[in-house]
Amino acid sequence: MDIVAREVLSAPTSLAETRTLNIVILGVSLISALGAAWIVLSFILFRSLRSFRHQLILGLAISDFWMAINFMSSTAVNLSGHLISEPPQKAFCSFNGFMTQLFVTQTDYWVLTIAVCTFLVLASYKRQSSWIQEHRIVLWCLPWGFSTLCAALGLGFAGYGNIGAWCWFTSDRTRLLVNFIPRWIIIIAILAIYLRLYMIIYKAHNSFVSFDQDGRSNTHSLSPENESVSSTSRIGRPYNTLELHSKEDGVPDGSKSTSRAKRPRHTRGTNPVLKNLAYQMMIYPLVYMLIWTIPTCIRIYQSVTNKPAPFGIATVDKACIVVQGFGDALIYGFNESSKGVWRERFTRRRNNSNAIPVS
């Protein structure tokens, strides 16, 4: 009886609301799938976007893409008239719920992995950063392993049922304890990680400013003052600010023209790069906090009051969960080097098309 009551809290109460919700979720999931596909396509097309960190972002994008496809499949079934809440669709609903739990938790692990690896590399933890770059297959197995285990345990102990546009845990309290509380722990963790990196890079930025003002030409004078300067020296052009390369990756394509002899010349033009990088890192956890605030509040409200949220708010709640793929595309794609590489590619193609052939 409790399960039935909680299913009513999560799912719409009429066919009209169900159809409206599924149309909205289908549209949002399509946008998320396109955003994730853009990151994957960028990785495939551009060699300069195959750095160590972009390989981790690729893992996140693949999870986002299949999560969006999973949402699209359940909404397509609902809109076809074969509701996933009906007994004939029970097997599909269980599979859909398993995949939902798999990829939703997996994206959390990918975000945490990216933050930890970024910190180890940029904060100059040489032994740890060398290990993770030499054992990247382990980093790929961890999110998949933990998320698969979590989804299997959820299927075995709680089961998955219809919540309106897809299948998941029908109990708001279960979702709150299993998904949302761990997610906020991860969000707080990456907030602390990027805050620490912000302090390191901002301190390096101030050291560059002091170096320019003093007019000194010996870069070794910076090393004793701030260890983080050496860790930020691997940062390339402004749109390559977060490229972390492994030993075999070598120098980024965009910074090959910058020789080792020229690196000591830290000018004021470099300072905005470090400052923007520090601010950019703080955007990541803030965006995740924004995306998951409404769904978390709805879970708490429905768990405490045992009353369903208004349909409009419940629709926004589910849309926030589905939009994560598009949010990751904005965070890890549009703000990073892929934006500059695509711009450069289109600019080169436009210049070639406008070139006058010589007869």
Side-chain angles (χ1 to χ4, degrees):
M1 193 68 180
D2 182 61
I3 295 295
V4 175
R6 291 187 181 276
E7 284 181 342
V8 175
L9 295 181
S10 301
T13 57
S14 67
L15 292 177
E17 289 183 348
T18 299
R19 181 174 180 80
T20 301
L21 173 64
N22 280 268
I23 291 175
V24 171
I25 298 304
L26 179 61
V28 177
S29 59
L30 178 60
I31 294 175
S32 290
L34 292 176
W38 179 60
I39 297 180
V40 176
L41 183 63
S42 299
F43 183 89
I44 295 175
L45 292 181
F46 303 113
R47 187 177 183 85
S48 62
L49 298 182
R50 298 176 187 175
S51 65
F52 167 65
R53 188 170 190 271
H54 278 99
Q55 291 179 8
L56 300 180
I57 296 174
L58 174 65
L60 173 63
I62 292 175
S63 297
D64 284 332
F65 178 79
W66 286 113
M67 181 170 65
I69 295 298
N70 186 57
F71 290 139
M72 293 171 64
S73 66
S74 59
T75 55
V77 171
N78 278 332
L79 292 174
S80 68
H82 304 284
L83 300 181
I84 58 177
S85 59
E86 296 175 345
Q89 310 301 327
K90 183 177 180 180
F92 173 80
C93 184
S94 296
F95 174 77
N96 182 257
F98 178 89
M99 300 303 290
T100 300
Q101 181 65 17
L102 172 70
F103 289 116
V104 168
T105 55
Q106 189 174 132
T107 54
D108 293 338
Y109 295 138
W110 275 119
V111 170
L112 180 61
T113 300
I114 293 171
V116 171
C117 292
T118 302
F119 176 79
L120 292 177
V121 175
L122 285 185
S124 292
Y125 287 88
K126 297 181 180 179
R127 180 179 300 179
Q128 292 85 346
S129 62
S130 296
W131 190 91
I132 61 176
Q133 293 181 73
E134 293 171 359
H135 299 82
R136 60 191 68 186
I137 185 63
V138 176
L139 299 180
W140 270 74
C141 291
L142 288 177
W144 281 92
F146 284 129
S147 60
T148 301
L149 177 62
C150 183
L153 291 176
L155 179 63
F157 287 97
Y160 304 110
N162 172 50
I163 65 169
W166 66 85
C167 293
W168 208 4
F169 296 119
T170 55
S171 168
D172 286 273
R173 183 170 299 177
T174 300
R175 272 185 284 163
L176 183 63
L177 295 177
V178 175
N179 293 103
F180 287 84
I181 292 180
R183 176 170 295 112
W184 278 100
I185 293 175
I186 291 176
I187 291 175
I188 293 173
I190 65 174
L191 179 63
I193 290 172
Y194 284 127
L195 181 61
R196 175 57 182 162
L197 276 178
Y198 175 91
M199 296 172 62
I200 291 175
I201 296 174
Y202 197 79
K203 187 176 180 181
H205 161 72
N206 291 337
S207 297
F208 280 121
V209 173
S210 176
F211 173 72
D212 287 334
Q213 291 175 347
D214 293 342
R216 289 176 291 186
S217 59
N218 185 7
T219 57
H220 293 288
S221 63
L222 285 176
S223 299
E225 297 174 9
N226 187 5
E227 189 183 61
S228 63
V229 174
S230 62
S231 66
T232 55
S233 65
R234 69 196 74 189
I235 299 173
R237 293 187 295 182
Y239 62 76
N240 282 334
T241 52
L242 287 179
E243 289 223 14
L244 308 180
H245 295 265
S246 60
K247 296 177 181 179
E248 64 270 21
D249 289 331
V251 182
D253 292 345
S255 57
K256 287 182 179 179
S257 60
T258 305
S259 64
R260 185 179 299 273
K262 292 183 179 181
R263 285 184 181 177
R265 297 177 59 188
H266 301 290
T267 64
R268 282 186 178 87
T270 310
N271 300 334
V273 175
L274 297 177
K275 190 173 182 180
N276 292 336
L277 172 59
Y279 285 126
Q280 183 177 327
M281 283 183 171
M282 294 307 300
I283 295 177
Y284 301 159
L286 295 179
V287 170
Y288 284 113
M289 292 174 68
L290 180 64
I291 290 177
W292 291 105
T293 294
I294 293 180
T296 304
C297 291
I298 298 300
R299 299 289 79 71
I300 296 175
Y301 170 80
Q302 294 187 165
S303 298
V304 173
T305 65
N306 202 32
K307 296 179 180 179
F311 175 71
I313 298 178
T315 302
V316 174
D317 158 34
K318 293 180 175 65
C320 286
I321 298 175
V322 179
V323 81
Q324 182 170 323
F326 179 71
D328 288 334
L330 292 179
I331 295 173
Y332 295 103
F334 185 77
N335 282 341
E336 296 202 20
S337 55
S338 56
K339 178 182 64 174
V341 173
W342 279 104
R343 185 192 300 117
E344 183 178 347
R345 183 184 183 94
F346 286 125
T347 300
R348 189 187 307 116
R349 178 174 297 181
R350 184 171 62 252
N351 292 339
N352 292 338
S353 62
N354 293 336
I356 301 177
V358 179
S359 57

